[in-house]
Coordinates of all heavy atoms in Angstrom, one line a residue:
G1 N 0.8 -1.2 0.0 CA 0.0 0.0 -0.1 C 0.8 1.2 0.0 O 2.0 1.3 0.4
D2 N 0.4 2.4 -0.5 CA 1.1 3.5 -0.6 C 0.2 4.7 -0.7 O -0.9 4.7 -1.3 CB 1.9 3.5 -1.9 CG 3.2 4.3 -1.8 OD1 3.2 5.4 -1.0 OD2 4.2 4.0 -2.5
V3 N 0.6 5.8 -0.1 CA 0.0 7.1 -0.2 C 1.0 8.2 -0.4 O 2.1 8.1 0.1 CB -0.9 7.4 1.1 CG1 -2.2 6.5 1.2 CG2 -0.1 7.4 2.4
S4 N 0.7 9.3 -1.0 CA 1.6 10.3 -1.1 C 1.0 11.7 -1.1 O -0.2 11.8 -1.0 CB 2.4 10.2 -2.5 OG 1.6 10.7 -3.5
T5 N 1.8 12.8 -1.0 CA 1.3 14.2 -0.8 C 0.7 14.7 -2.0 O 0.1 15.7 -2.0 CB 2.5 15.1 -0.4 OG1 3.6 14.9 -1.4 CG2 3.1 14.7 0.9
V6 N 0.8 14.0 -3.2 CA 0.1 14.5 -4.4 C -1.2 13.9 -4.7 O -1.9 14.2 -5.7 CB 1.0 14.4 -5.6 CG1 2.3 15.1 -5.5 CG2 1.3 12.9 -5.8
G7 N -1.7 13.1 -3.6 CA -3.0 12.5 -3.8 C -3.0 11.2 -4.4 O -4.1 10.5 -4.7
F8 N -1.8 10.6 -4.6 CA -1.6 9.2 -5.1 C -1.9 8.2 -3.9 O -1.5 8.4 -2.8 CB -0.3 9.0 -5.5 CG 0.2 7.6 -5.8 CD1 -0.3 6.8 -6.8 CD2 1.0 6.9 -4.8 CE1 0.1 5.5 -7.0 CE2 1.4 5.6 -5.1 CZ 1.0 4.9 -6.1
Y9 N -2.7 7.2 -4.2 CA -2.8 6.0 -3.4 C -2.9 4.7 -4.1 O -3.3 4.7 -5.3 CB -4.0 6.2 -2.4 CG -5.4 6.2 -3.1 CD1 -6.0 5.0 -3.4 CD2 -6.0 7.3 -3.5 CE1 -7.3 4.9 -4.0 CE2 -7.3 7.3 -4.2 CZ -7.9 6.1 -4.3 OH -9.1 6.1 -5.0
M10 N -2.4 3.6 -3.5 CA -2.4 2.3 -4.2 C -2.6 1.3 -3.1 O -2.0 1.3 -2.0 CB -1.1 2.2 -4.9 CG -0.9 0.8 -5.5 SD 0.6 0.6 -6.5 CE 1.9 0.9 -5.2
L11 N -3.2 0.2 -3.5 CA -3.4 -1.0 -2.6 C -3.5 -2.2 -3.5 O -4.1 -2.2 -4.5 CB -4.7 -0.9 -1.8 CG -4.9 -2.0 -0.7 CD1 -3.8 -1.9 0.3 CD2 -6.3 -1.8 -0.1
G12 N -2.7 -3.3 -3.1 CA -2.6 -4.4 -4.0 C -2.1 -5.6 -3.2 O -1.6 -5.6 -2.1
I13 N -2.2 -6.7 -4.0 CA -1.6 -8.0 -3.5 C -1.1 -8.8 -4.7 O -1.6 -8.7 -5.8 CB -2.7 -8.9 -2.8 CG1 -2.1 -10.2 -2.3 CG2 -3.9 -9.1 -3.7 CD1 -3.1 -11.0 -1.4
R14 N 0.1 -9.4 -4.5 CA 0.6 -10.3 -5.6 C 1.3 -11.5 -4.9 O 1.8 -11.4 -3.8 CB 1.5 -9.6 -6.5 CG 2.7 -9.0 -5.8 CD 3.7 -8.3 -6.8 NE 4.9 -7.8 -6.1 CZ 5.0 -6.5 -5.8 NH1 4.0 -5.6 -6.1 NH2 6.0 -5.9 -5.2
G15 N 1.5 -12.6 -5.7 CA 2.2 -13.7 -5.1 C 2.1 -15.0 -6.0 O 1.5 -14.9 -7.1
T16 N 2.7 -16.0 -5.5 CA 2.8 -17.3 -6.2 C 2.6 -18.4 -5.2 O 3.4 -18.5 -4.2 CB 4.1 -17.5 -6.9 OG1 4.3 -16.5 -7.8 CG2 4.2 -18.9 -7.5
H17 N 1.5 -19.1 -5.4 CA 1.3 -20.3 -4.5 C 1.8 -21.5 -5.2 O 1.5 -21.9 -6.3 CB -0.2 -20.4 -4.3 CG -0.7 -21.7 -3.5 ND1 -0.4 -21.9 -2.2 CD2 -1.1 -22.8 -4.0 CE1 -0.8 -23.0 -1.8 NE2 -1.3 -23.7 -2.8
I18 N 2.6 -22.3 -4.5 CA 3.2 -23.6 -5.1 C 2.6 -24.7 -4.3 O 2.7 -24.8 -3.1 CB 4.8 -23.6 -4.9 CG1 5.3 -22.3 -5.7 CG2 5.3 -24.9 -5.4 CD1 6.9 -22.3 -5.6
A19 N 2.0 -25.6 -5.1 CA 1.3 -26.8 -4.5 C 2.4 -27.8 -4.0 O 3.6 -27.7 -4.4 CB 0.5 -27.5 -5.5
P20 N 2.0 -28.7 -3.1 CA 2.9 -29.7 -2.6 C 3.6 -30.5 -3.8 O 3.0 -30.8 -4.8 CB 2.1 -30.7 -1.8 CG 1.0 -29.8 -1.4 CD 0.7 -28.8 -2.5
R21 N 4.9 -30.7 -3.7 CA 5.8 -31.3 -4.7 C 5.7 -30.5 -6.0 O 6.0 -31.1 -7.1 CB 5.3 -32.8 -4.8 CG 5.6 -33.6 -3.7 CD 5.3 -35.1 -3.9 NE 3.9 -35.3 -4.3 CZ 2.9 -35.4 -3.5 NH1 3.1 -35.3 -2.2 NH2 1.6 -35.6 -3.9
D22 N 5.3 -29.2 -6.0 CA 5.3 -28.3 -7.1 C 4.5 -28.9 -8.3 O 4.8 -28.8 -9.4 CB 6.7 -28.1 -7.5 CG 6.9 -26.8 -8.4 OD1 5.9 -26.0 -8.4 OD2 8.0 -26.6 -8.9
R23 N 3.3 -29.5 -7.9 CA 2.5 -30.1 -8.9 C 1.9 -29.0 -9.8 O 1.6 -29.1 -11.0 CB 1.4 -30.9 -8.3 CG 1.7 -32.1 -7.6 CD 0.7 -33.0 -7.3 NE -0.5 -32.4 -6.6 CZ -0.6 -32.2 -5.3 NH1 0.3 -32.6 -4.5 NH2 -1.7 -31.5 -4.8
Y24 N 1.6 -27.8 -9.2 CA 1.0 -26.7 -10.0 C 1.5 -25.4 -9.3 O 1.8 -25.4 -8.1 CB -0.4 -26.8 -10.2 CG -1.3 -26.7 -8.9 CD1 -1.6 -25.5 -8.4 CD2 -1.7 -27.9 -8.3 CE1 -2.4 -25.4 -7.2 CE2 -2.4 -27.8 -7.1 CZ -2.7 -26.5 -6.5 OH -3.4 -26.4 -5.4
R25 N 1.2 -24.3 -10.0 CA 1.6 -23.0 -9.4 C 0.4 -22.0 -9.8 O -0.1 -22.0 -10.9 CB 2.8 -22.4 -10.0 CG 4.0 -23.2 -9.6 CD 5.4 -22.5 -10.2 NE 6.5 -23.2 -9.7 CZ 7.8 -22.8 -10.0 NH1 8.0 -21.7 -10.7 NH2 8.8 -23.5 -9.5
L26 N -0.1 -21.3 -8.7 CA -1.1 -20.3 -9.0 C -0.4 -18.9 -8.8 O 0.0 -18.5 -7.8 CB -2.2 -20.4 -8.0 CG -3.4 -19.4 -8.0 CD1 -4.0 -19.4 -9.3 CD2 -4.3 -19.6 -6.8
I27 N -0.3 -18.1 -9.9 CA 0.4 -16.8 -9.9 C -0.8 -15.7 -10.0 O -1.6 -15.8 -10.9 CB 1.4 -16.7 -11.1 CG1 2.3 -17.9 -11.0 CG2 2.1 -15.4 -11.0 CD1 3.2 -18.0 -12.2
Y28 N -0.7 -14.7 -9.1 CA -1.8 -13.8 -9.1 C -1.2 -12.4 -8.7 O -0.4 -12.2 -8.1 CB -2.9 -14.2 -8.1 CG -2.3 -14.5 -6.6 CD1 -2.3 -13.5 -5.7 CD2 -1.8 -15.7 -6.3 CE1 -1.7 -13.7 -4.5 CE2 -1.3 -16.0 -5.1 CZ -1.2 -14.9 -4.2 OH -0.7 -15.2 -2.9
T29 N -2.0 -11.4 -9.3 CA -1.8 -10.0 -9.1 C -3.2 -9.3 -9.0 O -4.0 -9.5 -10.0 CB -0.9 -9.4 -10.2 OG1 0.3 -10.0 -10.2 CG2 -0.7 -7.9 -9.9
L30 N -3.4 -8.5 -8.1 CA -4.5 -7.6 -8.0 C -4.1 -6.3 -7.3 O -3.6 -6.3 -6.3 CB -5.6 -8.3 -7.1 CG -6.9 -7.6 -6.8 CD1 -7.7 -7.3 -8.1 CD2 -7.8 -8.4 -5.8
Y31 N -4.5 -5.2 -8.0 CA -4.1 -3.9 -7.4 C -5.1 -2.9 -8.0 O -5.7 -3.1 -9.1 CB -2.8 -3.5 -7.7 CG -2.4 -3.3 -9.0 CD1 -2.6 -2.0 -9.6 CD2 -1.8 -4.2 -9.9 CE1 -2.2 -1.7 -10.9 CE2 -1.5 -3.9 -11.1 CZ -1.7 -2.6 -11.6 OH -1.4 -2.4 -13.0
F32 N -5.2 -1.7 -7.3 CA -5.8 -0.5 -7.9 C -5.1 0.6 -7.3 O -4.5 0.7 -6.2 CB -7.4 -0.5 -7.5 CG -7.7 -0.3 -6.1 CD1 -7.8 0.9 -5.5 CD2 -7.8 -1.4 -5.2 CE1 -8.0 1.1 -4.1 CE2 -8.1 -1.2 -3.9 CZ -8.2 0.0 -3.3
Y33 N -5.2 1.8 -8.1 CA -4.6 3.0 -7.7 C -5.2 4.3 -8.3 O -5.9 4.1 -9.3 CB -3.1 3.1 -8.0 CG -2.7 3.1 -9.5 CD1 -2.8 4.2 -10.2 CD2 -2.3 1.8 -10.1 CE1 -2.5 4.2 -11.6 CE2 -2.0 1.9 -11.5 CZ -2.1 3.0 -12.2 OH -1.7 3.1 -13.5
D34 N -5.1 5.3 -7.6 CA -5.5 6.7 -8.2 C -4.4 7.6 -8.2 O -3.6 7.7 -7.2 CB -6.6 7.2 -7.2 CG -7.3 8.4 -7.9 OD1 -7.0 8.7 -9.0 OD2 -8.2 9.0 -7.3
F35 N -4.0 8.1 -9.3 CA -2.8 8.8 -9.6 C -2.9 10.1 -10.4 O -3.4 10.0 -11.5 CB -1.8 7.8 -10.3 CG -0.3 8.3 -10.4 CD1 0.2 9.2 -9.5 CD2 0.4 7.8 -11.5 CE1 1.5 9.6 -9.7 CE2 1.7 8.2 -11.6 CZ 2.2 9.1 -10.7
P36 N -2.5 11.2 -9.8 CA -2.4 12.4 -10.6 C -1.2 12.3 -11.5 O 0.0 12.5 -11.1 CB -2.2 13.5 -9.6 CG -2.6 12.9 -8.2 CD -2.2 11.5 -8.4
S37 N -1.4 11.8 -12.7 CA -0.3 11.4 -13.6 C 0.0 12.4 -14.6 O -0.6 13.5 -14.8 CB -0.8 10.0 -14.3 OG 0.2 9.6 -15.1

């Protein structure tokens, strides 16, 4: 998460889940932000 003096804010999650014995992987990213760009 992040906030700044120009009105920017962001919140998110990302990661990789590895199943036992690495049978499969779940890779995910989720975020949103508001940015004076």
Side-chain angles (χ1 to χ4, degrees):
D2 208 331
V3 294
S4 78
T5 55
V6 297
F8 164 76
Y9 66 86
M10 176 177 63
L11 186 64
I13 180 174
R14 62 174 176 264
T16 300
H17 173 78
I18 299 178
R21 297 186 298 279
D22 203 6
R23 296 194 309 270
Y24 65 84
R25 295 181 174 186
L26 178 64
I27 306 169
Y28 53 91
T29 300
L30 172 65
Y31 69 85
F32 66 88
Y33 66 78
D34 193 4
F35 185 26
S37 183

